[in-house]
Amino acid sequence: GAGFIVMPCNTVHIFLDAIRASVKIPVLSIVDAAVDAVAALPDVKTIGLLASPAVVKTGLYHDALAARGIETLAPNAEGQEAVREIIFAVKAGDKSAAQRERLLAVCGSLVERGAQALILGCTELPLLAGPDDFSVPAVDTLAVLADAAIHYARAA
């Protein structure tokens, strides 16, 4: 009896087309919601992406953002490994100041490389730091997906 599906996980969106093909109701996209939020930011042409290795490797956000004329920067190999470790630490219940500082350091590196805004492209990351903790705007993918779901439900 559901009217639509919301998947609060960025990585599973790698399979979005297959999921949509297997159901008869709409499936909202966390990627589309996040890209819309980034596109709404004034004068942002370069975004820093913090996400699981699978999301980064598949180009899930890179392609969607490029279609809007926005360049995507991912962390270097060391930074990406730190993001992976941070995600697993949060999943294990570690939301310590040390994990937060590691996240902020990776974000700072992306900003130094030219990121004008950030995508927190894993739903565990906002549990460590929010938009006000960064020197540039940050898009919380879970928050924008929740907003999209509310708007979709109200319009339905």
Side-chain angles (χ1 to χ4, degrees):
F4 64 99
I5 296 172
V6 178
M7 300 182 303
C9 173
N10 286 270
T11 305
V12 80
H13 279 72
I14 294 167
F15 307 105
L16 182 61
D17 291 339
I19 293 167
R20 282 181 169 160
S22 70
V23 297
K24 295 180 179 168
I25 59 175
V27 181
L28 302 187
S29 167
I30 200 168
V31 175
D32 291 345
V35 169
D36 288 346
V38 169
L41 295 171
D43 303 319
V44 171
K45 296 296 177 201
T46 306
I47 191 87
L49 174 64
L50 297 125
S52 72
V55 167
V56 173
K57 285 179 186 175
T58 60
L60 190 65
Y61 276 96
H62 292 72
D63 297 340
L65 289 159
R68 301 272 191 108
I70 300 168
E71 177 188 5
T72 304
L73 297 177
N76 62 20
E78 180 182 320
Q80 187 60 53
E81 178 60 17
V83 171
R84 187 193 68 75
E85 291 172 359
I86 292 164
I87 291 167
F88 279 98
V90 171
K91 286 181 182 207
D94 180 1
K95 295 182 270 184
S96 66
Q99 296 300 339
R100 182 179 184 282
E101 289 307 313
R102 290 179 76 198
L103 174 62
L104 294 176
V106 175
C107 293
S109 173
L110 288 170
V111 171
E112 287 175 8
R113 289 177 42 211
Q116 299 166 302
L118 302 166
I119 291 178
L120 302 179
C122 185
T123 56
E124 282 76 21
L125 300 178
L127 298 175
L128 294 175
D132 294 337
D133 294 316
F134 306 103
S135 62
V136 296
V139 173
D140 174 344
T141 58
L142 187 56
V144 296
L145 179 62
D147 288 344
I150 291 166
H151 287 109
Y152 190 89
R154 286 182 176 161

